[in-house]
Amino acid sequence: MNHTPVRPLYAQANGSPIRAMLALAGQPGMISLAGGHPDPALLPADWLRECLLEVASGVQGRSLQYGATEGLPALRAASAELLRQRGLQAQAEEVLITTGSQQAIDLLARVLLEPGAGIAVEPFNYPAALQAFRFAGAQLVEVPADAQGMDVDRLETVLTAARPKVLYVVPNFANPTGAVMPLARRLRLLELAMRHGVTLVEDDPYGELWFGEPPPPSLAQLNQQAGSPAQVAYMTSYSKVVAPALRLGVLLAPPDIARAIMLAKQAADVHSGSLEQLTLTAMLASGRLAAHLGLLRQAYALKASALAGALHSHCDGLIEFSEPRGGMFVWAQLGSELPLMSTQAWMDFGLKHRVLAVPGAAFSLHNTAQARLRLSFANPSVEDLREGALRLGRGLRSLQA
């Protein structure tokens, strides 16, 4: 019997090594610095439970029906208010609710990128975004980056030579690098995007998780303030600031892009889950988000400091890194005397030394071995962060033998 073959793009795609490490993370005695997941102790279970009960007590047939593709009106209004607090001009009718910001990335890839079209990205990037762009048939166009994110001084050469249609950027505490793009770069990036007719896709899942001081205004905010005709699609997620299980995100995009996204979402899932939207709406209406964000910033700053201190103590001379200013990650450069290893070799390393870290290859456009590790301080306890750094240092020293 002949079967319709799976498209090569999907059949030959590699799975996420970060997801593969999740299976290892549950082993007894394992410490995982791999997954970029919130600390379960910081997820607002009581707050969410109260709002779930409130929603459940009012459930009627109407609340169990299909809903609007754009999202429930009350959640769109609450999300618009949240964006306004971030400095954006946003009205409820301009906001789209998505099934996590991951869906927004996927839908934007579908509606903006024809097969063969170019999308400009940094050399190390969020793997699921790269996967969505590849599945859309896009060509990934590499833009050099440094410790402050995308190198806009070299961007113009890339835009002129490769002529990408879209540029994807995470300006705040990027995954995996933790980089924060300075204000001057943001302004220059907007100028270049306008001049070259490039649509900017701004992904901002970590912007509220700052330590000390917030990052500069978003590209979308700066673009609005300047009255610029540049096209900026801005997305954010409730996963990092409320709970991943709700699977809800927010997209603010120019009208023509928003309409295309709505049509693509109709084909994808009709609408995001109404009960989840009702629950999140009740949570936002309670007015407790600001205090919760304050708690998250304080807790993650403490964890970041604990991991950084332990790495200095136990991995001195083995890795170099910058102190995190927010977000969830430490991006470490391995010493030149350490060998380059494949992703599988790093998984074997984790099994042997009982500590998991994600190798740079997982974030590389070319999926090649890199002298880099991403370490997440968000999920483990402070004690496990310190022990994890100790195990990592021992394991790295063994590689020098």
Side-chain angles (χ1 to χ4, degrees):
M1 180 184 295
N2 292 326
H3 296 282
T4 302
V6 174
R7 289 176 60 198
L9 196 64
Y10 291 83
Q12 298 167 12
N14 294 318
S16 167
I18 304 172
R19 287 281 164 182
M21 285 187 174
L22 281 177
L24 302 181
Q27 292 189 1
M30 181 68 77
I31 292 177
S32 176
L33 306 177
H37 302 156
D39 183 344
L42 296 174
L43 294 176
D46 291 340
W47 178 24
L48 196 150
R49 188 181 300 110
E50 291 172 19
C51 293
L52 270 173
L53 291 172
E54 176 186 329
V55 168
S57 67
V59 163
Q60 305 169 23
R62 215 163 99 187
S63 50
L64 300 178
Q65 264 292 7
Y66 290 107
T69 299
E70 302 94 319
L72 297 184
L75 183 55
R76 295 175 75 194
S79 297
E81 173 58 28
L82 184 69
L83 295 184
R84 287 193 292 270
Q85 291 171 12
R86 296 186 183 184
L88 287 157
Q89 300 167 27
Q91 301 302 317
E93 60 272 17
E94 299 171 319
V95 168
L96 297 179
I97 302 300
T98 59
T99 305
S101 58
Q102 181 61 43
Q103 184 185 53
I105 294 171
D106 179 63
L107 296 178
L108 284 164
R110 294 194 212 181
V111 304
L112 294 177
L113 295 166
E114 299 170 352
I119 179 166
V121 295
E122 294 180 24
F124 296 103
N125 229 299
Y126 173 45
L130 300 181
Q131 190 175 55
F133 303 147
R134 288 188 174 111
F135 284 166
Q139 297 296 316
L140 301 182
V141 178
E142 184 173 337
V143 182
D146 59 22
Q148 295 183 318
M150 186 171 286
D151 187 342
V152 295
D153 289 335
R154 299 168 70 182
L155 173 60
E156 187 160 23
T157 300
V158 175
L159 296 179
T160 301
R163 303 181 66 83
K165 289 185 60 179
V166 179
L167 187 151
Y168 172 76
V169 62
V170 186
N172 299 327
F173 316 117
N175 180 9
T177 65
V180 180
M181 183 179 286
L183 177 59
R185 285 199 187 190
R186 296 179 191 227
L187 294 170
R188 175 67 171 152
L189 178 55
L190 284 168
E191 176 195 340
L192 290 172
M194 181 178 62
R195 189 191 314 160
H196 290 268
V198 175
T199 297
L200 296 180
V201 172
E202 181 177 16
D203 193 3
D204 188 23
Y206 307 104
E208 291 296 301
L209 300 180
W210 44 267
F211 315 147
E213 62 179 25
S218 66
L219 294 167
Q221 179 184 346
L222 294 169
N223 195 52
Q224 289 177 341
Q225 289 174 345
S228 167
Q231 293 257 90
V232 182
Y234 174 91
M235 74 189 84
T236 189
S237 172
Y238 286 106
S239 294
K240 304 300 188 293
V241 298
V242 182
L246 292 171
R247 303 307 306 129
L248 292 170
V250 181
L251 176 66
L252 181 68
D256 57 334
I257 295 177
R259 182 179 183 279
I261 291 292
M262 184 186 69
L263 295 175
K265 183 170 170 59
Q266 287 176 359
D269 66 359
V270 183
H271 64 85
S272 301
S274 295
L275 292 178
E276 291 89 340
Q277 291 188 63
L278 287 167
T279 301
L280 181 57
T281 301
M283 295 180 77
L284 297 177
S286 73
R288 293 163 63 176
L289 180 59
H292 180 64
L293 285 172
L295 172 68
L296 293 181
R297 291 177 191 132
Q298 183 179 24
Y300 287 138
L302 178 64
K303 285 170 169 254
S305 177
L307 178 59
L311 291 174
H312 284 307
S313 296
H314 303 301
C315 301
D316 185 46
L318 299 168
I319 65 172
E320 294 181 0
F321 62 94
S322 297
E323 299 277 340
R325 296 169 52 193
M328 293 184 165
F329 307 113
V330 168
W331 185 234
Q333 171 77 48
L334 296 170
S336 58
E337 71 280 6
L338 294 170
L340 288 179
M341 300 198 303
S342 67
T343 298
Q344 183 57 55
W346 279 112
M347 292 179 74
D348 294 339
F349 174 96
L351 285 169
K352 179 178 180 180
H353 298 287
R354 312 308 291 169
V355 60
L356 298 174
V358 187
F363 310 97
S364 166
L365 301 194
H366 313 293
N367 196 33
T368 53
Q370 303 285 336
R372 296 278 190 173
L373 285 179
R374 190 197 76 175
L375 310 170
S376 176
F377 52 80
N379 186 268
S381 66
V382 168
E383 294 74 18
D384 280 351
L385 289 169
R386 290 172 176 150
E387 176 63 23
L390 173 63
R391 295 181 189 183
L392 179 66
R394 287 174 178 168
L396 292 177
R397 292 190 195 284
S398 74
L399 296 177
Q400 294 178 305

